[in-house]
Amino acid sequence: MDLSPLNASFSAPGIVASRAVDPDKAIRVPRFFSYPKQVLYLVASFIALVSLSHFISLAYRYAIRNRVYSSPRRPSPFRRFPIAVIDSLRAIAFRWTVPIGASYTLNLAEVGMTLGYTGVLLSWTFVNTTTTLGVKVEPHYYANRAATIAASQLPIMTALGMRNNIISWLTGISFDKLNYLHRLSARVICILVWIHAGGRITIGLLDDEAIVNRWVQCGVLAGTTLTLLCILTLRPVRERNYELFLIIHFIFVFMFLLAIYFHLTGRVLTYYGAWPSMIIWGLDRFLRLVNLTVFNFGYLNPWSKTSRDLDASVEVLSPRFLKVTVYRSKHFHWRPGQSAYLTFPSISTFPFQSHPFTISTIESDASVPHQKLTFFIRVRAGFTKTLMQTASSDSTYKVFINGPYSSPPLLMGFQSVILIAGGSGIAFTLPLLLDVLSRAKRNQHVCQKVTFIWAIRDTDQLKWIEEELLSSLEDLPESISISLQFFITSVLENPQQQSWQAESTSDVNDHHVVEVKTPSSSSSHSGSKILDLSCSKLEHGRPDLTTIIKDEIAIGTGPISINVCGTDTLSDTVRKAIRNPRPADILRGGPSVTLHVEAFGGSQ
């Protein structure tokens, strides 16, 4: 980056002396230093606003966590007006989507962020670039300013891509969902870098800007690596071989940070982007190392006699799913729905190759010496396929765990909670259900009704969760109502062999009375004890999520939380069911609705 036209300290004295006085310099220089700061303050203010909203929301949830909602609805237009406004804005911003390509969508909030962030950076780059002689968009004004604005955004771009993410802690948005903004900021910065390069070439390179100079070469290297990174992060490219992409990404990021540091050194700009970015990047790696050491110390301690207790067992559930069970000390804490990164040194293709998986269990009682962590893993190409081929019921595998990460929803203060999963999405919704039931037993009024929906290919999959679920359903208080709905989505070879009949059953507790559809033969459901419960319902076909959700909203009087994890089609179906604002219904006493889409979407 060249600042020689701006200040005598930025170039050789002889060159400055030979130049005529530039009447625009007194105007350009203050803007050169002030505009990047203005952009930085604006972005920081937006982050602060989102963070404030997050903390207010948390405080509100804690304040109403023990509230009991009753019927009938009680209209209160004045008191419920803020709730109606917030719910309507949430529905429009997060549940209306815009298709990008054949299989990718952005919600309106993401579209707004893209346009807003890009517009702010480009506006501050090109605003007030008319000279005193009336020449518009003059390169002397915008060339170096573009580079400085880009440098000011490097720490934010770096922070958005880290697992240990301070922005995630402040805003409550999971680091993996912030990754979209990480890629967005990188691409806008890349545009500014090319604007800077094009502007400097237009102005004309000075003697100290020759390509043979190290700082110029570092600038070219930084711009090249950033451009390649932006190309590699395009979804079709990175998904072709994601594991290889991660390695290339790590190498290029390291090269970029070093190159930008040397490019900015000596131009009083390292404090803008170089040092902060390197500190953020290094701190994240340091925290990962500390996490890895603390929670895997049994492996690293040569005197440990219990290192084998940390090994993982891998069970093949079906040709498409694995179950991994890991034990860690009681000092390992996580929230229901959080994920952890697992590294299998003997199986991974590359050293310390790690992959994120959702922890499908909740924390055990404090008296238990070791916490049990279970992971349901969908077998795909790459590492999971290798793990499937290697898995043996007679063997255990050394596994390093790093985490927990992500920001699952806090299910407090809701009248009704709806949990929807497709296939391996059970890994996310099951711990949320177990946590709600556990809190209910401890007389913590989390909610009054839970509807648990799981779309599966066959009833054998119910055995995956049978032990944990049956144990959690024992001795439930009457203050909570449970509805378990399972849908078999595979096509029957001979549908006439299984006739489904509605059969009304009841349990000792009236609040668990739910219509149950059972096969004509009790043996046809693979002997799963879950289907013997009165709160269970089994149907063949895809769930009519639109009807289920709308029926729940129609009878609700308190807030409803909907949480979904599954395919894009499943998530889109849920979004469409609740994407229309309902201000009139809320003013008449209807419920507000919160949606959280996990794994294949974003938090809403």
Side-chain angles (χ1 to χ4, degrees):
M1 182 185 301
D2 171 45
L3 304 181
S4 50
L6 299 174
N7 200 309
S9 63
F10 291 55
S11 60
I15 296 175
V16 175
S18 63
R19 287 192 168 192
V21 176
D22 184 357
D24 290 296
K25 177 186 287 189
I27 301 174
R28 291 200 309 265
V29 172
R31 292 175 182 172
F32 170 83
F33 287 106
S34 64
Y35 281 17
K37 293 179 181 178
Q38 292 175 17
V39 173
L40 202 56
Y41 294 154
L42 182 61
V43 175
S45 298
F46 179 77
I47 295 174
L49 178 62
V50 177
S51 302
L52 180 62
S53 301
H54 169 61
F55 287 119
I56 292 176
S57 176
L58 284 180
Y60 177 73
R61 285 284 152 222
Y62 275 100
I64 65 171
R65 65 186 183 278
N66 293 323
R67 181 177 297 179
V68 177
Y69 300 92
S70 59
S71 298
R73 294 184 175 185
R74 298 177 180 177
S76 180
F78 180 77
R79 184 175 62 86
R80 297 184 62 81
F81 181 76
I83 299 176
V85 171
I86 294 173
D87 188 84
S88 298
L89 291 176
R90 196 160 46 202
I92 295 172
F94 297 107
R95 296 160 200 170
W96 285 87
T97 58
V98 177
I100 307 295
S103 60
Y104 189 60
T105 61
L106 293 177
N107 60 46
L108 293 186
E110 291 170 330
V111 173
M113 284 291 299
T114 301
L115 298 177
Y117 185 74
T118 305
V120 165
L121 266 61
L122 293 180
S123 295
W124 260 261
T125 298
F126 291 107
V127 72
N128 295 329
T129 53
T130 302
T131 67
T132 55
L133 298 178
V135 179
K136 296 182 179 179
V137 196
E138 211 281 324
H140 282 91
Y141 275 84
Y142 70 77
N144 290 318
R145 189 196 301 174
T148 315
I149 291 176
S152 72
Q153 298 302 298
L154 289 178
I156 295 176
M157 178 194 73
T158 306
L160 287 169
M162 299 295 101
R163 292 185 200 171
N164 299 285
N165 192 323
I166 188 173
I167 298 178
S168 178
W169 297 339
L170 291 173
T171 62
I173 303 174
S174 180
F175 82 95
D176 52 331
K177 295 177 177 64
L178 287 175
N179 200 260
Y180 167 74
L181 298 179
H182 168 68
R183 297 192 300 271
L184 167 63
S185 60
R187 290 162 186 169
V188 179
I189 290 173
C190 185
I191 294 173
L192 294 178
V193 167
W194 283 107
I195 291 174
H196 163 64
R200 293 307 307 155
I201 293 174
T202 302
I203 294 171
L205 300 178
L206 303 177
D207 292 343
D208 68 336
E209 296 173 336
I211 195 64
V212 296
N213 290 329
R214 187 184 69 172
W215 75 272
V216 177
Q217 294 172 346
C218 288
V220 173
L221 177 61
T224 302
T225 53
L226 181 60
T227 302
L228 291 175
L229 279 170
C230 291
I231 295 174
L232 291 173
T233 56
L234 294 175
R235 184 169 180 166
V237 178
R238 71 175 186 270
E239 288 188 348
R240 287 186 65 87
N241 192 326
Y242 191 74
E243 295 168 353
L244 180 60
F245 159 76
L246 290 177
I247 296 176
I248 296 175
H249 184 272
F250 178 86
I251 296 173
F252 276 19
V253 166
F254 188 74
M255 291 172 57
F256 171 76
L257 289 177
L258 285 179
I260 203 67
Y261 170 76
F262 287 113
H263 182 64
L264 297 178
T265 299
R267 279 160 168 75
V268 298
L269 289 175
T270 52
Y271 70 90
Y272 259 122
W275 276 116
S277 298
M278 296 175 74
I279 291 173
I280 292 171
W281 187 83
L283 181 62
D284 173 70
R285 262 55 188 184
F286 174 75
L287 292 176
R288 292 190 197 183
L289 180 61
V290 171
N291 188 303
L292 193 66
T293 303
V294 170
F295 295 126
N296 303 279
F297 188 70
Y299 286 134
L300 306 175
N301 183 4
W303 297 279
S304 174
K305 298 180 181 180
T306 60
S307 61
R308 292 285 297 178
D309 295 338
L310 303 179
D311 289 354
S313 62
V314 181
E315 179 185 354
V316 179
L317 299 175
S318 74
R320 295 179 295 273
F321 293 98
L322 296 172
K323 179 181 179 181
V324 175
T325 304
V326 181
Y327 289 90
R328 281 301 182 269
S329 72
K330 61 182 180 180
H331 303 296
F332 185 86
H333 301 288
W334 72 95
R335 286 172 51 196
Q338 283 193 300
S339 60
Y341 279 76
L342 301 183
T343 300
F344 289 78
S346 61
I347 299 177
S348 300
T349 306
F350 305 102
F352 303 106
Q353 180 185 37
S354 61
H355 297 267
F357 302 104
T358 303
I359 306 171
S360 62
T361 47
I362 60 176
E363 288 196 30
S364 306
D365 187 83
S367 61
V368 179
H370 290 92
Q371 299 277 0
K372 178 183 178 182
L373 288 79
T374 300
F375 303 85
F376 292 111
I377 299 175
R378 174 74 162 90
V379 177
R380 304 182 188 276
F383 166 76
T384 53
K385 184 177 181 181
T386 304
L387 184 62
M388 162 72 82
Q389 296 170 345
T390 310
S392 170
S393 58
D394 300 326
S395 303
T396 58
Y397 304 87
K398 180 174 292 188
V399 59
F400 291 92
I401 189 168
N402 196 307
Y405 297 106
S406 70
S407 303
L410 188 63
L411 300 182
M412 295 194 311
F414 295 100
Q415 179 189 37
S416 179
V417 172
I418 302 176
L419 304 172
I420 304 170
S424 59
I426 189 66
F428 174 73
T429 58
L430 178 62
L432 295 181
L433 173 63
L434 298 180
D435 180 61
V436 168
L437 300 180
S438 176
R439 287 176 179 269
K441 291 181 180 180
R442 300 196 302 268
N443 293 322
Q444 297 179 0
H445 300 289
V446 181
C447 64
Q448 296 167 230
K449 181 180 180 181
V450 180
T451 303
F452 183 80
I453 301 170
W454 188 19
I456 53 180
R457 287 184 175 272
D458 56 71
T459 53
D460 285 339
Q461 292 179 244
L462 294 177
K463 294 182 179 179
W464 302 356
I465 64 173
E466 187 174 82
E467 180 181 353
E468 289 83 359
L469 187 55
L470 290 177
S471 175
S472 296
L473 289 171
E474 294 177 353
D475 303 321
L476 280 179
E478 296 186 5
S479 59
I480 185 170
S481 173
I482 308 297
S483 173
L484 306 178
Q485 303 180 26
F486 305 103
F487 295 85
I488 310 300
T489 60
S490 59
V491 179
L492 295 174
E493 294 182 2
N494 186 356
Q496 295 180 351
Q497 291 180 355
Q498 294 189 18
S499 60
W500 303 90
Q501 57 186 9
E503 178 179 302
S504 182
T505 61
S506 62
D507 193 42
V508 177
N509 297 327
D510 291 337
H511 64 281
H512 284 161
V513 176
V514 178
E515 181 184 25
V516 184
K517 291 188 177 180
T518 57
S520 57
S521 173
S522 60
S523 62
S524 63
H525 57 62
S526 303
S528 175
K529 296 180 181 179
I530 295 177
L531 296 178
D532 294 331
L533 299 172
S534 63
C535 59
S536 297
K537 180 169 70 172
L538 179 66
E539 294 186 12
H540 210 282
R542 299 185 182 277
D544 186 357
L545 296 176
T546 301
T547 299
I548 293 173
I549 292 172
K550 289 186 175 181
D551 287 348
E552 191 65 34
I553 293 175
I555 63 175
T557 58
I560 296 176
S561 174
I562 302 176
N563 307 273
V564 57
C565 184
T567 62
D568 292 336
T569 301
L570 183 68
S571 302
D572 289 341
T573 300
V574 176
R575 285 193 185 98
K576 290 177 182 179
I578 56 174
R579 69 180 182 180
N580 293 324
R582 309 168 16 261
D585 182 57
I586 294 175
L587 293 176
R588 290 193 295 266
S592 61
V593 179
T594 302
L595 172 64
H596 181 97
V597 179
E598 183 68 16
F600 302 101
S603 241
Q604 288 113 22

